[in-house]
């Protein structure tokens, strides 16, 4: 597999434009957007379908409604190159729920996007048409750079003013995006806000702003990496192979071989893997976003949790309430990716982000509409 580079962009990554005449409006609200306008953001990934409905409030937004369901859209994709009929059926059922929520709240401003599974599947366009026909929702397939960009801006509130070199990592179901940003030329008090300016693109940023050193989209996420090594029976051996295999995919990422000082360096990890590891470290039997989002963990603390997962074994992980039944089958492939990152860039400041593509979509829409007031992250 060849990771995507910034100049990449094959035919499979071309966004699918929404069709006209949807039963659910996708653009141009009947009035000028304001602080009372509701916005929707939907992220259809390889493993999950997630949606947020939110209202702008000051320089942030307030979540009005949400939806999240494991649909396993990409199951079997690695072998067949196609989305299966069963996985498409499950996903359409989930999208019907999203469509009803959108209509119930009267949402007119929205972006509904699909990522790696639909980028790779040969029958993705047929699936997009099926979704439009059966739910009225117009999905668009976004390219890897936009996915990475949206994940980055969602994490702006977590950027420390002392951070000069920032690595944002988004571990998805079908791909993993890494973005390295140089903030050394930005005044410390402006560093979180400067991240928001990246919503327009990684290139041609103004002088004195955040500068993207490099970014990469590796076509391996928790589901696809697990599928790669599904034939390895030994739990510990499978984990080690997954971690080293993922690291090999980073060889062309320019900061890979660079000596990076720990001082002024921050990694922000956004994914179900990272939040699950954080919840396990805290011993949360019931997930609490307020305790997880923004938590800082050291490499040693992350390694402690991963070793605990390995000691539990597959059956122990399946019944561990800290992991959850939806996550237990994928946690070790995600942990293998996380361990590889910690091996390459050891740090005492990994920030856990319970936020990602959906939040980035909301920030980007609201920023473009000018409905967020001037604040620390606008």
């Amino acid at each position: 597999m060849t990771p995507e580079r910034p100049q990449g962009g094959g035919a499979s990554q071309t966004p699918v434009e929404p069709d006209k005449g949807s039963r659910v409006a996708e653009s141009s609200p009947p009035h000028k957007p304001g602080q009372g306008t509701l916005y929707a953001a939907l992220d259809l990934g390889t493993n999950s379908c997630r949606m947020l409905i939110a209202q702008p409030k000051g320089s942030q937004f307030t979540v009005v409604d949400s939806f999240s369901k494991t649909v396993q859209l990409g199951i079997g994709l690695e072998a067949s190159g196609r989305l299966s009929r069963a996985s498409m059926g499950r996903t359409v059922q989930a999208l019907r729920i999203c469509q009803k929520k959108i209509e119930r709240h009267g949402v007119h401003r929205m972006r509904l996007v699909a990522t790696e599974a639909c980028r790779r599947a040969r029958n993705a366009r047929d699936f997009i048409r099926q979704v439009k026909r059966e739910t009225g929702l117009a999905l668009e397939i976004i390219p890897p750079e936009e996915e990475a960009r949206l994940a980055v801006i969602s994490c702006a509130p977590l950027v420390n003013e002392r951070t000069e070199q920032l690595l944002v990592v988004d571990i998805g179901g079908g791909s993993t995006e890494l973005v390295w940003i140089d903030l050394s030329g930005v005044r410390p008090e402006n560093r979180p806000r400067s991240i928001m300016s990246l919503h327009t693109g990684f290139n041609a940023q103004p002088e004195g702003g955040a500068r993207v050193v490099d970014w990469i989209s590796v076509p391996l996420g928790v589901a696809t990496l697990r599928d790669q090594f599904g034939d390895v029976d030994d739990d510990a051996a499978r984990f080690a192979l997954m971690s080293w295999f993922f690291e090999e995919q980073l060889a062309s990422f320019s900061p890979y071989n660079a000596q990076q000082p720990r001082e002024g360096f921050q990694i922000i990890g956004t994914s179900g893997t990272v939040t699950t590891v954080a919840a396990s470290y805290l011993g949360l039997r019931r997930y609490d976003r307020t305790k997880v989002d923004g938590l800082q963990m050291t490499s040693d603390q992350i390694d402690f949790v991963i070793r605990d997962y390995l000691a539990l074994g597959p059956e122990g992980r399946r019944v561990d309430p800290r992991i959850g039944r939806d996550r237990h089958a994928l946690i070790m492939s995600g942990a293998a990716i996380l361990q590889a990152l910690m091996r390459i860039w050891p740090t005492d400041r990994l920030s856990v982000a319970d936020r990602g593509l959906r939040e980035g979509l909301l920030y980007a829409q609201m920023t473009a509409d000018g409905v967020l007031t001037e604040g620390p992250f606008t």
Side-chain angles (χ1 to χ4, degrees), residues 59-329:
S59 62
Q60 301 290 309
F61 56 77
T62 300
V63 174
V64 174
D65 203 348
S66 64
F67 175 81
S68 180
K69 186 171 182 61
T70 299
V71 294
Q72 296 183 308
L73 178 61
I75 196 166
L77 176 62
E78 192 72 24
S80 69
R82 299 176 61 84
L83 303 175
S84 72
R85 182 171 298 182
S87 66
M88 290 190 292
R90 287 192 301 271
T91 304
V92 167
Q93 288 180 359
L95 290 170
R96 283 198 183 103
I97 298 173
C98 295
Q99 182 261 341
K100 289 177 182 177
K101 285 177 175 285
I102 289 170
E103 287 197 343
R104 185 185 314 131
H105 289 285
V107 181
H108 295 279
R109 298 295 281 172
M110 68 191 77
R111 279 199 77 190
L112 318 173
V113 306
T115 56
E116 185 67 12
C118 287
R119 285 196 291 261
R120 293 177 57 191
R122 294 197 300 271
N123 59 338
R125 290 182 180 274
D126 292 336
F127 171 63
I128 297 294
R129 285 190 286 267
Q130 177 187 350
V131 169
K132 180 63 180 298
R133 186 173 61 251
E134 297 188 24
T135 72
L137 298 179
L139 293 175
E140 59 174 310
I141 304 172
I142 60 172
E145 180 181 350
E146 184 170 10
E147 183 178 1
R149 193 167 69 235
L150 291 165
V152 166
I153 65 173
S154 75
C155 295
L158 301 182
V159 176
N160 194 293
E161 290 186 359
R162 298 187 302 273
T163 298
E164 296 189 349
Q165 301 295 323
L166 173 68
L167 175 62
V168 177
V169 181
D170 181 13
I171 306 173
S175 66
T176 299
E177 282 69 45
L178 291 83
V179 184
W180 193 288
I181 303 167
D182 182 358
L183 295 168
S184 60
V186 183
R187 292 173 61 88
E189 65 271 21
N190 293 333
R191 284 170 182 168
R193 190 194 311 174
S194 71
I195 298 298
M196 288 300 296
S197 67
L198 297 174
H199 81 273
T200 59
F202 283 161
N203 299 320
Q205 290 303 308
E207 188 173 348
R211 182 177 68 87
V212 174
V213 176
D214 199 6
W215 74 275
I216 191 171
S217 180
V218 181
L220 291 170
V222 294
T224 46
L225 184 59
R226 176 200 60 185
D227 292 347
Q228 284 271 341
F229 295 89
D231 59 343
V232 180
D233 293 330
D234 185 86
D235 193 44
R238 181 171 57 250
F239 173 78
L241 288 169
M242 288 190 296
S243 186
W244 286 106
F245 182 67
F246 181 83
E247 182 176 344
E248 288 176 355
Q249 313 307 307
L250 300 179
S252 62
F253 184 53
S254 67
Y256 174 73
N257 293 311
Q259 286 294 110
Q260 300 292 342
R262 286 196 180 196
E263 190 65 30
F265 173 54
Q266 180 183 9
I267 299 180
I268 298 179
T270 169
S271 70
T273 293
V274 178
T275 56
T276 299
V277 167
S280 295
Y281 172 71
L282 294 172
L284 300 180
R285 298 177 67 86
R286 185 185 181 95
Y287 186 79
D288 186 343
R289 183 183 188 276
T290 62
K291 294 180 180 178
V292 170
D293 187 49
L295 177 72
Q296 294 194 5
M297 297 184 69
T298 67
S299 299
D300 288 344
Q301 290 167 340
I302 292 169
D303 188 58
F304 175 83
V305 174
I306 292 174
R307 282 189 280 112
D308 182 43
Y309 287 164
L310 284 169
L312 285 171
E315 182 57 28
R317 294 191 296 268
R318 189 182 69 81
V319 298
D320 192 318
R322 302 170 305 164
I323 298 172
R325 291 186 177 272
D326 282 349
R327 179 63 52 178
H328 76 89

